[in-house]
Amino acid sequence: MLEEKQIPYIVEKINMRCYGPKPPDFMAKVPTGLLPVLELDGGPPITESLRIMVLLEQEFPDHKPLVPRGNSQEVQRWEQLMRLERRLFSDWLGWACSDWNQAMGKVRCEALLDTIEKELKVAGGPFFFGKDISLADINMVPMFERMVASLAYYKGFFIRGTGRWPAIEAWFAALEQRPTYLGTHSDYYQHCHDLPPQMGGLYFSDEGYPVAAQIDGMDGQSWRLPLPPLSATSLPEPFSAGDSPPVDTLEAAASLIKNHEAVARFALRGVGKPGPRPVSAPLSDPTAIPALEHMAAADMALRHVAHALLVGVDEKQVSEHALQVTASEPSGPAAELTGMPIIPAAAYLRDRIGVPRDMRFPAARQLRAHLNWLADSLVAAVA
Ligand SMILES: N[C@@H](CCC(=O)N[C@@H](CS)C(=O)NCC(=O)O)C(=O)O
């Protein structure tokens, strides 16, 4: 909303409880600890996302309007759409968090999707109020994005990429053309590993397991080179903005290189020791102790990955900087790598690439696949 309205802002990130205690100065200001929170021009903290959005709309009347003004029919519809978002929240979690009566959860979600499909057609699409984005879209998409991801992962239920709800597909496609939306767009992997620690259990049905294996890259294929192209109909995860391997690999390499020392240190948590204060989110261990004695090897391994991203693995392997692997410890400042400790470090990093925190989805899948290329080459050599 801030980006669409072009309101200047500063973001202060506060972690969710499942990633460790929140900063005490934040808790002093907001005793419930709930996010989001707005401080408008140094004023008191304001909570509740809907209240925040309505306030921003009122306080910045000269910026792009996102709520219909005047026409009472439109205002009524806007309120209806706000209620529809709450229905989405409860029908989605009613199914996702249930391990019994899967059929009922599915029927409710299908009915909800039919209603949303109809609402998107009222003004001719692609958005709820026609060709311009509004707060109805902005308010709906964060939960909808999570619904789409988690129902594919846990239930094998595809909302997008099937042609069953074309107005919903067109709505996501229109959003995925907007840099304002892409700045917050996560991938299915991120959502499906972020949601359970925050919300409690989400439950699999039998149809979910094979899809989850694909999303997690555990099927031996989906996180490996060569990656299939991305499009509005690619499954399990469509992305209408598509991919562009030369640009995506460059973005992944830039993100890796820009912060290479911290990234190498982070990867070495994969062979380090668990932290003294573990947290409840399985992929997170903010106090973990990295095995820094392997820093030179981790640094060299990540240089190989960056080089492979920049020139492609085939060209790299015929260049003078080809990845060479030995079965035993290299002696001296070798240009070769051994499997240990780099295999677990590469896997640790691969599983913790955050979208969009670290890079966009098309770049993240490239980095994951190139880290797998490294790990697979090392595994082949030590096997
Ligand atoms: N109705 C509130 C809900 C706020 C809420 O539940 N926020 C969650 C995140 S979406 C939260 O901050 N949970 C605390 C935590 O997990 O640390 C709103 O719309 O702002």
Side-chain angles (χ1 to χ4, degrees), residues 30 48 53 64 75 82 104 148 169 210 217 219 226 253 255 259 269 276 303-304 358 371 376:
V30 185
E48 288 301 319
M53 291 189 285
K64 174 173 161 177
V75 171
M82 293 292 131
M104 174 62 89
V148 171
E169 307 246 14
D219 59 346
S255 181
N259 206 16
R269 288 178 175 194
R303 283 169 195 267
H304 278 298
D358 302 320
L371 284 165
D376 290 346

Coordinates of all heavy atoms in Angstrom, one line a residue, residues 30 48 53 64 75 82 104 148 169 210 217 219 226 253 255 259 269 276 303-304 358 371 376:
V30 N 4.8 -2.0 22.3 CA 3.6 -2.8 21.9 C 3.5 -4.1 22.7 O 4.0 -5.1 22.3 CB 3.7 -3.2 20.4 CG1 2.5 -3.9 19.9 CG2 4.0 -1.9 19.5
E48 N -3.3 -3.2 14.3 CA -4.4 -3.7 13.5 C -4.3 -3.2 12.0 O -4.4 -2.0 11.7 CB -5.8 -3.2 14.0 CG -6.2 -3.9 15.3 CD -6.3 -5.4 15.1 OE1 -6.8 -5.9 14.1 OE2 -5.8 -6.2 16.0
M53 N -4.4 0.7 7.5 CA -4.6 1.0 6.0 C -5.6 2.1 5.9 O -5.4 3.0 5.1 CB -5.1 -0.3 5.3 CG -4.0 -1.3 5.2 SD -4.4 -2.7 4.1 CE -5.5 -3.6 5.2
K64 N -2.3 8.6 -4.6 CA -3.2 7.7 -5.3 C -4.3 7.1 -4.4 O -4.0 6.4 -3.5 CB -2.4 6.6 -6.0 CG -3.1 5.5 -6.7 CD -2.1 4.6 -7.3 CE -2.6 3.3 -7.7 NZ -1.6 2.5 -8.4
V75 N -18.7 1.9 -1.8 CA -18.2 1.8 -0.5 C -18.8 0.5 0.2 O -18.1 -0.2 0.9 CB -18.6 3.0 0.4 CG1 -18.3 2.9 1.8 CG2 -17.9 4.3 -0.2
M82 N -13.9 -6.7 2.2 CA -13.1 -6.8 3.4 C -13.6 -8.0 4.2 O -12.8 -8.8 4.8 CB -13.2 -5.5 4.3 CG -12.6 -4.3 3.7 SD -10.8 -4.4 3.6 CE -10.6 -3.9 1.9
M104 N -14.9 -31.8 3.7 CA -15.6 -30.6 4.1 C -14.8 -29.3 3.9 O -15.2 -28.3 3.3 CB -16.1 -30.7 5.5 CG -16.8 -29.5 6.0 SD -18.3 -29.1 5.1 CE -19.5 -30.0 6.0
V148 N -2.9 -20.2 -1.4 CA -2.5 -20.9 -2.6 C -1.3 -21.9 -2.4 O -1.3 -23.0 -2.8 CB -2.2 -19.9 -3.8 CG1 -1.6 -20.6 -5.0 CG2 -3.4 -19.1 -4.1
E169 N -6.7 -16.4 -11.7 CA -5.4 -16.5 -12.4 C -5.0 -15.1 -13.0 O -3.9 -14.7 -12.9 CB -5.5 -17.5 -13.6 CG -6.0 -18.8 -13.2 CD -5.0 -19.9 -13.4 OE1 -3.8 -19.6 -13.5 OE2 -5.4 -21.1 -13.3
P210 N 3.4 -35.8 -2.5 CA 4.2 -35.6 -3.7 C 4.5 -34.2 -4.1 O 5.5 -33.8 -4.6 CB 3.5 -36.4 -4.8 CG 2.1 -36.7 -4.2 CD 2.2 -36.6 -2.7
G217 N 12.1 -29.5 -3.1 CA 13.2 -30.0 -3.9 C 13.7 -31.4 -3.4 O 14.8 -31.8 -3.6
D219 N 12.4 -34.2 -4.5 CA 12.0 -35.2 -5.5 C 13.2 -35.5 -6.4 O 13.1 -36.3 -7.4 CB 10.8 -34.7 -6.4 CG 11.2 -33.4 -7.1 OD1 12.2 -32.8 -6.7 OD2 10.4 -33.0 -8.0
P226 N 19.0 -29.0 -15.4 CA 18.4 -27.7 -15.8 C 17.0 -27.5 -15.3 O 16.2 -28.4 -15.2 CB 18.4 -27.9 -17.4 CG 18.2 -29.4 -17.6 CD 18.8 -30.1 -16.4
A253 N 23.9 -14.4 -8.1 CA 25.3 -14.3 -7.9 C 25.6 -13.0 -7.2 O 26.4 -12.9 -6.3 CB 26.0 -14.3 -9.3
S255 N 23.7 -11.3 -5.2 CA 23.3 -11.4 -3.8 C 24.3 -12.2 -3.0 O 24.6 -11.8 -1.8 CB 21.9 -12.0 -3.8 OG 21.4 -12.1 -2.5
N259 N 27.4 -10.1 -0.1 CA 27.5 -10.4 1.3 C 28.2 -11.7 1.6 O 27.9 -12.5 2.5 CB 26.0 -10.5 1.8 CG 25.8 -10.2 3.3 OD1 26.7 -9.6 3.9 ND2 24.7 -10.6 3.8
R269 N 27.1 -22.8 9.7 CA 26.2 -23.3 10.8 C 25.8 -24.8 10.5 O 25.5 -25.5 11.4 CB 24.9 -22.5 10.9 CG 25.2 -21.1 11.4 CD 23.8 -20.4 11.4 NE 24.0 -19.1 12.1 CZ 22.9 -18.4 12.4 NH1 21.7 -18.8 12.2 NH2 23.0 -17.2 13.0
P276 N 22.9 -22.1 22.0 CA 22.5 -22.3 23.4 C 21.0 -22.0 23.6 O 20.4 -22.5 24.6 CB 23.4 -21.4 24.2 CG 23.8 -20.4 23.2 CD 23.8 -21.0 21.8
R303 N 32.6 -19.4 -4.1 CA 33.2 -18.8 -5.3 C 32.9 -19.6 -6.5 O 32.6 -19.1 -7.6 CB 34.7 -18.6 -5.1 CG 35.1 -17.4 -4.3 CD 36.5 -17.4 -3.9 NE 36.8 -16.5 -2.8 CZ 37.1 -15.2 -3.0 NH1 37.3 -14.7 -4.2 NH2 37.2 -14.4 -1.9
H304 N 33.0 -20.9 -6.3 CA 32.7 -21.8 -7.4 C 31.2 -21.7 -7.8 O 30.9 -21.7 -9.0 CB 33.0 -23.3 -7.0 CG 34.4 -23.7 -7.2 ND1 35.1 -23.7 -8.4 CD2 35.3 -24.1 -6.2 CE1 36.3 -24.1 -8.2 NE2 36.5 -24.4 -6.9
D358 N 16.1 -12.4 0.5 CA 17.4 -12.4 -0.1 C 17.4 -12.2 -1.6 O 18.4 -11.6 -2.2 CB 18.0 -13.8 0.1 CG 18.1 -14.1 1.6 OD1 18.4 -13.2 2.4 OD2 17.8 -15.3 2.0
L371 N 23.6 -24.6 -5.8 CA 24.2 -25.2 -4.6 C 24.1 -26.7 -4.6 O 24.9 -27.4 -4.2 CB 23.5 -24.6 -3.4 CG 23.9 -23.2 -3.0 CD1 22.9 -22.6 -2.0 CD2 25.3 -23.1 -2.4
D376 N 26.1 -32.1 -5.2 CA 26.1 -33.4 -6.0 C 27.5 -33.7 -6.5 O 27.9 -34.9 -6.5 CB 25.1 -33.3 -7.1 CG 23.7 -33.2 -6.7 OD1 23.4 -33.5 -5.5 OD2 22.8 -32.9 -7.5

